[in-house]
Every structure is written in structure tokens, then in C-alpha cells.
Amino acid sequence: MKSKIVVALGGNALGNTPKEQLQLVKNTAKPIVDLIEEGNDVIIAHGNGPQVGMINLAMETASKSEAKTPEMPFPECGAMSQGYIGYHLQNAIREELLNRNINKPVATVITQVIVDKSDRAFENPTKPIGSFYTEGEAKTLTEQKGYIMKEDAGRGYRRVVPSPKPIDVAEKEVVKTLVDSGHVVITVGGGGIPVIKEGNSLIGVDAVIDKDFASEKIAEILDADYLIILTAVEKVAINFGKENEKWLDKITTKEASEYIKQGHFAPGSMLPKVEAAVEFARSKKGRKALITSLEKAKEGIKGLTGTLIID
Ligand code: ADP
Ligand code: MG
């Protein structure tokens, strides 16, 4: 049966450098095109942690160097990361489609994701970005630019930004139109460029939206049947890494919520995935979420592996 599937790609689908990414996306394209070949509508979302970190750091370094390049705001760094990741992904998917004689256009939409100005996350920034600073430098940055600086695991001070929840996708109509016309779309890259709404303006904010939550949001908006989160592990586990570790095949949202409460999933890695999966499965009758690895995506959708989350 033909389904509408949002595929969220994790860090292992893209690697850590542009060169590595260009190579890795060839593999990443395969399971995606498998799904397309079977007749499904596929929408692709992805993370951008290492990429936006690299751009931000390079821009910071260059602006402080003799070159004195202009300072690059964080939302602009996010937009740049969406651009070059999308460029690699759309090319790799296009090529894999052509290799299989499938004629389907592929495009990346630079996507803004609307967040709430009064989201509690703005009161407590948690996401470290950019370079490391000494205590003194950190103080100066706070005084001069109002940055919130936090000590990062004994390695020095880093700027932290909030991680607000996505509310809406600014380009949703465009994405929907492309998907409805049978095009393959890459969207909400890196969780989307976070913006707040002020009148008719969308204003970029220094924040990071979790890509798992942004993927869930666009999946709901597009009325997808499936949210597939592809990561580094084949299944979700309880008692992860412990002697009594247990890999999960199929769980209800109720069971998942119970496991969340019991603290089985690491914040910042597996927790947002399970939370996003639960939210999606609960959002409408029949919607399912699957968490599995890139390599196992094809078997996963056939119900042969991965962790399926249903209501
Ligand atoms: P991505 O880049 O795909 O978002 P993350 O590194 O953020 O990947 O999250 C995936 C990682 O979460 C896995 O590689 C695994 O090490 C870790 N993890 C934490 N808790 C669990 C758990 N309960 N079950 C499975 N993996 C877990
Ligand atoms: Mg992650």
C-alpha cells in the first residue's frame, strides 16, 4: 500500500565533514529511494549539529582574524547548513533515482520553523554551540553581546542557546504542493531555521530546534502515515547499555510514556526520538512511528525490524 512517509535522518547519515558527507549521502539515498520505488511519497528531514557547528565556528574564527569577515548570525549559519546538506542530499537522491530509471524531481526547501517567543526554553538555554572560551572571554561576551555562557564538561565555556518546540512550518504550503505533485522534498533541515512571528515578519532567533520534533511537526502537517526516524541503532532499548538491556520491537504510546518516565532514554539523543514518535502516533488514528537504523530502513517498513510505536 502506498504511504506518505517522513524520513528523519540522523548524524550518521551525513557524517562530520563536507567530504565525508558527499560520500555518505550515496548510501543514505539508497533506503530513501527504496521507499520511493515502492510507490511511497517520501519527505526527508535531517539533523545539522556538526554542520552548523562547523559553519558557526569558521565564521566566528574568520571574523576575529585579520580577514575581518562580517559576523554571521546563528540563524544564517543554519540556513547555510540547510543549503549545502540539501545540495548533497538532492543530488545523491536524484542520481539513485536515475540509476533505477525513476523520473522524479527532487528539491530542497529552505525551511523556517516558527517557535513561540514565550516558550519556556528561552528562559533556560541548554544547547552548546560554537567555540570554547576561557572564563574571562566568556564574561566579556556576556557583557558585550548578551550571550549566555556555560561551562561545558571541564573543557571551557561555550555559548548556549535555547531549544524551543516547533509550532508551525512557514513554508508548509510549498512543501505540500511539491509533495502532492509527486516531487521528493527535503525540508526542516536541522530542525528548521527558528523564527518568531511579529506581525507580518518572521524573525530569526538564536536557537536550535530538535530535528526529531521538527520532523514530527511536518509529518503531522503533511498528514503523513509514517514517521521514520533513522539513527545509529536498529532498535530502541530499555536498560540501554546495561546487563538487562532489552531491545523493543513494538510498543504502544502508553508503554513508551512509561519508559520515558522511568528514564530509559538519554536526553538529547534517544529521548526526543521516542517523544516525537509518541506525539506522532497519538496525533491521529492509524499513524505510526518507526525508529531504526539507516541500513535497516527497508526491512523496518516491512515490519521486520526496528521499534514500532503505535497508539
Ligand atoms: P541522531 O544523530 O540520529 O539524532 P543520536 O546520537 O542523537 O542520533 O541518538 C541515537 C543514539 O542514542 C544511539 O546511537 C544510542 O547510542 C543512544 N541511545 C540512548 N539511549 C538509548 C536507548 N534507550 N536505546 C537505544 N539507543 C539509545
Ligand atoms: Mg540527535
Side-chain angles (χ1 to χ4, degrees):
M1 199 188 79
K2 184 180 150 176
S3 301
K4 194 183 280 177
I5 305 172
V6 170
V7 176
L9 301 170
N12 67 329
L14 303 170
N16 290 306
T17 69
K19 203 174 159 190
E20 193 177 81
Q21 180 173 289
L22 193 57
Q23 204 49 44
L24 276 177
V25 288
K26 293 184 199 296
N27 287 327
T28 303
K30 289 190 177 116
I32 291 170
V33 174
D34 287 342
L35 295 174
I36 298 169
E37 196 169 33
E38 282 163 16
N40 302 298
D41 284 335
V42 180
I43 300 95
I44 298 120
H46 60 83
N48 75 342
Q51 295 82 1
V52 74
M54 175 193 70
I55 294 168
N56 185 242
L57 186 57
M59 290 299 180
E60 257 180 29
T61 310
S63 70
K64 282 186 285 183
S65 77
E66 266 176 32
K68 287 201 174 56
T69 58
E71 279 183 31
M72 194 58 68
F74 194 66
E76 276 75 352
C77 293
M80 287 180 183
S81 76
Q82 282 190 355
Y84 95 86
I85 295 170
Y87 153 58
H88 280 180
L89 276 175
Q90 72 192 29
N91 260 336
I93 294 167
R94 174 186 177 272
E95 192 174 323
E96 186 66 28
L97 285 166
L98 289 175
N99 287 346
R100 302 193 205 182
N101 296 313
I102 303 169
N103 211 339
K104 240 181 192 316
V106 192
T108 302
V109 174
I110 299 295
T111 312
Q112 306 175 87
V113 171
I114 297 158
V115 298
D116 184 351
K117 206 170 24 177
S118 51
D119 191 308
R120 295 288 296 275
F122 286 105
E123 292 161 31
N124 179 31
T126 50
K127 207 93 180 151
I129 57 160
S131 32
F132 289 90
Y133 297 92
T134 64
E135 198 179 344
E137 288 167 335
K139 244 186 160 158
T140 312
L141 281 169
T142 304
E143 282 162 15
Q144 289 180 350
K145 297 187 177 172
Y147 288 1
I148 297 167
M149 307 295 290
K150 278 191 189 160
E151 219 282 318
D152 190 349
R155 296 176 294 178
Y157 284 77
R158 271 178 107 184
R159 183 179 180 202
V160 286
V161 296
S163 190
K165 288 272 153 54
I167 295 175
D168 205 358
V169 176
E171 291 76 16
K172 63 184 174 191
E173 304 298 346
V174 177
V175 174
K176 203 171 172 300
T177 303
L178 291 172
V179 173
D180 288 348
S181 331
H183 300 217
V184 180
V185 187
I186 300 153
T187 181
V188 296
I193 303 158
V195 293
I196 53 171
K197 235 179 162 163
E198 274 183 18
N200 284 339
S201 306
L202 294 177
I203 299 162
V205 288
D206 293 358
V208 173
I209 301 167
D210 196 293
K211 73 108 181 19
D212 298 312
F213 293 133
S215 307
E216 191 282 330
K217 184 56 74 182
I218 194 72
E220 271 194 46
I221 290 172
L222 296 173
D223 195 18
D225 309 292
Y226 261 103
L227 171 65
I228 304 187
I229 300 178
L230 298 181
T231 185
V233 284
E234 189 173 334
K235 290 179 188 182
V236 179
I238 49 170
N239 304 309
F240 179 65
K242 295 185 188 150
E243 239 169 59
N244 55 345
E245 177 179 76
K246 186 178 162 221
W247 298 100
L248 304 166
D249 294 319
K250 190 176 181 178
I251 51 172
T252 63
T253 56
K254 211 170 151 216
E255 285 165 333
S257 302
E258 200 51 44
Y259 295 143
I260 288 171
K261 262 195 227 144
Q262 292 166 2
H264 286 284
F265 313 121
S269 63
M270 192 46 80
L271 180 61
K273 297 184 205 320
V274 179
E275 284 177 339
V278 168
E279 206 172 318
F280 183 68
R282 276 190 183 152
S283 61
K284 189 176 168 187
K285 203 172 168 355
R287 284 181 182 164
K288 295 173 193 171
L290 178 76
I291 301 173
T292 190
S293 66
L294 193 62
E295 297 75 26
K296 300 285 179 179
K298 196 176 180 180
E299 289 141 77
I301 189 114
K302 286 186 186 144
L304 302 173
T305 189
T307 303
L308 188 71
I309 294 102
I310 50 161
D311 195 37

